[in-house]
Amino acid sequence: MEVGFLGLGIMGTAMARNLIKHGFNVTVWNRTPAKCEELVKEGAAHGRNPADIVKKCNITFAMLADPDVALSVVFDENGVLEQITSSKGYVDMSTVDSITSSKISKAVTEKGGRFVEAPVSGSKKPAEDGALVILAAGDKLLYEEVIPAFNAMGKKSFYLGDVGNGAKMKLVVNMIMGSMMTAFSEGLAVADKAGLSQQTLLDILDLGAIGNGMFRLKGPTMLQHSFPPAFPLKHQQKDMRLALALGDEVAQPMPVAAVSNELYKKARSLGLEDHDFSAVYHAVSEKHDATNGIQTNT
Amino acid sequence: MEVGFLGLGIMGTAMARNLIKHGFNVTVWNRTPAKCEELVKEGAAHGRNPADIVKKCNITFAMLADPDVALSVVFDENGVLEQITSSKGYVDMSTVDSITSSKISKAVTEKGGRFVEAPVSGSKKPAEDGALVILAAGDKLLYEEVIPAFNAMGKKSFYLGDVGNGAKMKLVVNMIMGSMMTAFSEGLAVADKAGLSQQTLLDILDLGAIGNGMFRLKGPTMLQHSFPPAFPLKHQQKDMRLALALGDEVAQPMPVAAVSNELYKKARSLGLEDHDFSAVYHAVSEKHDATNGIQTNT
Amino acid sequence: MEVGFLGLGIMGTAMARNLIKHGFNVTVWNRTPAKCEELVKEGAAHGRNPADIVKKCNITFAMLADPDVALSVVFDENGVLEQITSSKGYVDMSTVDSITSSKISKAVTEKGGRFVEAPVSGSKKPAEDGALVILAAGDKLLYEEVIPAFNAMGKKSFYLGDVGNGAKMKLVVNMIMGSMMTAFSEGLAVADKAGLSQQTLLDILDLGAIGNGMFRLKGPTMLQHSFPPAFPLKHQQKDMRLALALGDEVAQPMPVAAVSNELYKKARSLGLEDHDFSAVYHAVSEKHDATNGIQTNT
Amino acid sequence: MEVGFLGLGIMGTAMARNLIKHGFNVTVWNRTPAKCEELVKEGAAHGRNPADIVKKCNITFAMLADPDVALSVVFDENGVLEQITSSKGYVDMSTVDSITSSKISKAVTEKGGRFVEAPVSGSKKPAEDGALVILAAGDKLLYEEVIPAFNAMGKKSFYLGDVGNGAKMKLVVNMIMGSMMTAFSEGLAVADKAGLSQQTLLDILDLGAIGNGMFRLKGPTMLQHSFPPAFPLKHQQKDMRLALALGDEVAQPMPVAAVSNELYKKARSLGLEDHDFSAVYHAVSEKHDATNGIQTNT
């Protein structure tokens, strides 16, 4: 199967490689062309620009950095849109908000093309292992057609209905994740202050019904106040904010998410925005004398 | 090894049975004697009262309903204390607060005895399977001596230091669990209102890094608004309250736990205290017209 | 002094009338012309459209329903912008977000005109009494020039610097107001459940240091669960949301406002959005049996 | 009228003085007798101990430091209880919890005496000015009998029913106060970060419907990060905790109070417990680089 792939960041490179490994004929493009070389050695063709790739391939995947890039790759000169026709399918796997997704969807379908949004759950390691979880929405037939490609990149894909639902579902998942992290941080912090062993707490959690991969993975580094950025705190906080906005839209109160969001803001105010989102633990547990700056001569 | 066992509720019966199965000579006692019969058929001896059992056995375990019963079994007539001497060990596995635990510890050690508190993490099924997690604290030598018995009842035991630490650790674990449940409930509720499939949300969570046994076990029944009481909501709320009090003692703010606790109170105010603690979902998601009772003639 | 006035809703009519009373020559315009008649009887001239008024008057005030109307009055055909020249001043007293305000400011100043945003604190009664508090920002000289007009409409005006600051200050004030209302509601609710007289609580609050006009005004009707809309709950919730967004922008955590905002969302989910914002009390205090809908056959 | 007065701290001295000024024959006692001298010069008699005073006076008032002192003055040797008979009335105006109050009430009434609890709202200045607000509960006839004395010490007294209601009402009032203070702090903090003048915010608040004595009094010193202890933060946090416990008892969720309470805990964790409770502003607004202590070599 002939497919295009736009965007070769950490995620995109791993995903395109899995397509190649599973026998797809992949034509790749990246804004910085050097990043294509490695995959070309592994069997990929190199496209000159997005339009070029769409022209050549009936189905094109994209994994781009953010909404702005996702829009420019479609709408700019030599962009996806120039070559969209009724035989073309475009599958955007970038994490974008539902408004961006809808804009792209509208433009592609107005030219007769088919569109699927398919943000993923999982980061570098699952991308390399072909173990992503894919949250697809949009054109049902196109979704079914690309299932073999999704199976090469992910361990499971879900079809969620209308365009926008992929983005929304991802927000809900990340909101739960973000609140679990703040609850976990509070537990680690109070254990420490109460004189309990934090390592033993991790061991106990891991053996019980609430044990999970995130606690297992991030707990040990959190105890060392080390937060290498797998998922940057500022992105987690943005997702909390957008999930709360979704709740606002549908009048669903979410006080736990709201308070968790304020803790991420607190962490941002402490300069932790580029650390991993587990750095919220630092904001929860901080111990220091804040009486500096208090006037005492009154 | 000759051991006593006091308290044959659902948990205690399963635990004593596992001791018998692993070759311990167990003498059991229960306030309602009928509950002893089954275990006697399986090989247990029947003690007349707590004092009788302590007299006969060097080590006695207890698994009692609540702090009041735990205290009365020790201090009342024919209670544990009457036969405590320097050769005796008493291991209370009931879930009690740290003040109760300390009272019992003090009384036992003042008579020369040795004491371990050992609350467990896990409910009926893990008790039956010998798969409890045991949070032990107190006399270190006694702890080491009873490890074979702990291995019969649980999959893992931890020694946590001074008496009181077992109770505290359990509160921390339950507090994290309680906040995870409220975050999960908010996610399920907003997914529903936003028109996303809740079942798909469960599936996605289960495949990702935050997937865990509690979501897997309780999610499906929660979607049906069914909350058969495995761990009653009123007990979860009590543990949230006590965990917050622990945070208060050591000056650790825990806003996520505090807000979660208010949601459990909300659930109590709706009459859900005897349902499973997952019934907090009902409080989070409730949809109804509350305009009844509002005066409109002003 | 010759001034124009655009927008004769409840607020605008009262404000324009105060200008007339204080000797200003006022030319009024309203989308529905009938609303001008009353003021014309009291001495106002009637302008055909916004452009017409700006042409005639060097300074024009506006008090419009919402951002959309504020924009259309400026940018549409026969709008304010058509007649803006370097000698003209435009003072928009509507409550709009800072983006809307900036758009208008940019358009007016690019044509050489001067612009002041001046949202007000206070509703119908203070507008009638000339007792509004005016939060002005933008062109300093224009501000100083219109002080006599502000004095006719308000008891006090403040100059807050750059355009946008008026809107921001109003959000901060309303955020404090919204959180005070939720705290007040919690107090009334717990007093009631604890068997204390709510009326006595109102009396005690009124005598102490935290007594204030809002508690005094709204408390008695809240006790009757009557919430005649002076400031609709949906608008208060919108201001809470925008104030939290402002906090997000500048990385200031505001957990009390965040939790209060969720209570207003809760009230919206109960259908209370068009009641007064004090109806959040109904959401805080609701007492009912929510066990309907719970599956019991499990 | 012949009355006794126990406890001559800052509050008690001012209150006893007002009784003297209004023509009451007052016999005073204080643990440190030196504190009686001043009032003796002003016309008071000096009693040797609480029992002595109760013997001499049919009605005795008390204003003691805390629950422990309140209990010891009643139950210790030469305490109030020794001389309680059916003709005696005891009015405890100290701020104590409802359990302490009930213990004293029970002991006094079992000996045939009459009891009123009467905690006050207001601190030093209102005590001196005879402008306290008195929250009385217990024996209705005794309450009516002592109204002239209450009128000498306070501007208003309320009869709240059963013993315990005085303490509860005070908690509710202080809980509202505590949440207003956190909301106020969030407003001041976000104004500052958003580049708005905090002084102007104070001015605007003061002119509007939510303006109140507490904002007016404490705002200006808060802006200077100066928190001279009028009501210590640790006491405010204790009252928040007890108010939340009252809510727990009656199943009234209070998320705004709960989150506010965590902010006071945060302030305690920063070492601010002995400052005025307005120091919670320092915890809300703190700006500092917390990246110290984060491991970067991972």
Side-chain angles (χ1 to χ4, degrees), chain C residues 126-204:
Chain C
E128 292 170 349
D129 298 347
L132 295 166
V133 176
I134 297 167
L135 312 180
D139 191 292
K140 185 80 184 284
L141 292 177
L142 176 57
Y143 167 71
E144 279 162 7
E145 210 169 305
V146 300
I147 284 180
F150 283 166
N151 287 344
M153 296 183 279
K155 63 180 166 187
K156 179 85 179 172
S157 70
F158 294 91
Y159 179 74
L160 303 170
D162 292 343
V163 166
N165 283 356
K168 285 178 191 173
M169 185 61 93
K170 195 164 177 206
L171 287 180
V172 174
V173 170
N174 281 7
M175 180 273 279
I176 296 174
M177 179 170 79
S179 295
M180 279 174 62
M181 178 52 82
T182 54
F184 183 48
S185 295
E186 290 185 359
L188 288 174
V190 75
D192 188 36
K193 283 204 183 165
L196 301 171
S197 156
Q198 293 180 309
Q199 184 55 55
T200 303
L201 173 56
L202 293 185
D203 293 343
I204 292 167

Side-chain angles (χ1 to χ4, degrees), chain B residues 24 64 181 188 288:
Chain B
F24 290 83
L64 302 158
M181 178 53 82
L188 289 173
H288 58 91

Side-chain angles (χ1 to χ4, degrees), chain B:
Chain B
M1 195 177 180
E2 186 80 37
V3 301
F5 202 103
L6 310 178
L8 298 178
I10 292 171
M11 297 291 289
T13 299
M15 291 157 74
R17 177 172 289 128
N18 276 319
L19 288 172
I20 296 168
K21 280 187 189 162
H22 281 74
F24 290 83
N25 293 321
V26 186
T27 305
V28 298
W29 172 85
N30 192 64
R31 187 156 296 191
T32 316
K35 288 202 178 168
C36 299
E37 289 168 20
E38 211 179 334
L39 289 173
V40 167
K41 281 183 202 153
E42 300 172 26
H46 187 173
R48 276 174 308 164
N49 55 50
D52 191 44
I53 289 196
V54 173
K55 187 177 177 186
K56 180 179 175 194
C57 310
N58 279 341
I59 292 174
T60 300
F61 296 91
M63 188 63 180
L64 302 158
D66 59 45
D68 284 347
V69 182
L71 289 168
S72 102
V73 158
V74 171
F75 292 98
D76 284 2
E77 203 186 334
N78 295 320
V80 166
L81 213 56
E82 291 185 3
Q83 293 294 334
I84 287 289
T85 62
S86 61
S87 62
K88 302 295 184 182
Y90 185 58
V91 181
D92 191 350
M93 303 182 75
S94 321
T95 292
V96 300
D97 56 290
S98 60
I99 291 172
T100 298
S101 204
S102 297
K103 266 189 207 162
I104 295 173
S105 173
K106 193 158 172 274
V108 168
T109 53
E110 278 177 1
K111 290 201 65 175
R114 293 178 299 157
F115 178 73
V116 158
E117 68 166 351
V120 302
S121 175
S123 53
K124 194 187 171 195
K125 189 70 170 42
E128 292 170 348
D129 298 347
L132 295 167
V133 175
I134 297 167
L135 312 180
D139 191 293
K140 184 80 184 285
L141 292 177
L142 177 56
Y143 167 72
E144 279 161 5
E145 211 170 302
V146 299
I147 284 180
F150 282 166
N151 287 343
M153 295 183 280
K155 63 179 167 188
K156 179 87 179 170
S157 70
F158 294 90
Y159 179 74
L160 303 170
D162 294 342
V163 166
N165 282 356
K168 285 177 191 172
M169 186 62 93
K170 197 167 173 201
L171 287 180
V172 174
V173 171
N174 281 6
M175 179 273 278
I176 295 173
M177 179 169 80
S179 295
M180 278 173 63
M181 178 53 82
T182 53
F184 183 48
S185 296
E186 290 185 357
L188 289 173
V190 76
D192 189 36
K193 283 204 184 164
L196 301 170
S197 156
Q198 292 181 309
Q199 184 55 54
T200 303
L201 174 56
L202 292 185
D203 294 342
I204 292 167
L205 288 171
D206 204 32
L207 288 164
I210 59 174
N212 63 82
M214 180 173 78
F215 290 2
R216 204 172 298 129
L217 181 70
K218 294 185 189 286
T221 49
M222 288 165 73
L223 295 197
Q224 298 165 53
H225 281 248
S226 168
F227 314 106
F231 184 42
L233 191 139
K234 62 187 171 194
H235 293 167
Q236 175 64 62
Q237 198 258 313
K238 188 195 66 187
D239 284 357
M240 295 302 286
R241 179 204 308 147
L242 292 173
L244 285 163
L246 179 61
D248 201 330
E249 226 177 282
V250 299
Q252 173 60 50
M254 301 192 287
V256 174
V259 162
S260 294
N261 185 34
E262 298 305 311
L263 288 173
Y264 287 105
K265 287 187 196 170
K266 174 82 189 172
R268 274 178 49 214
S269 84
L270 299 177
L272 301 167
E273 63 271 26
D274 294 321
H275 290 260
D276 186 63
F277 77 105
S278 54
V280 75
Y281 169 61
H282 203 74
V284 167
S285 67
E286 57 169 341
K287 291 172 289 189
H288 58 91
D289 181 359
T291 53
N292 288 335
I294 293 194
Q295 299 305 319
T296 49
N297 55 347
T298 314

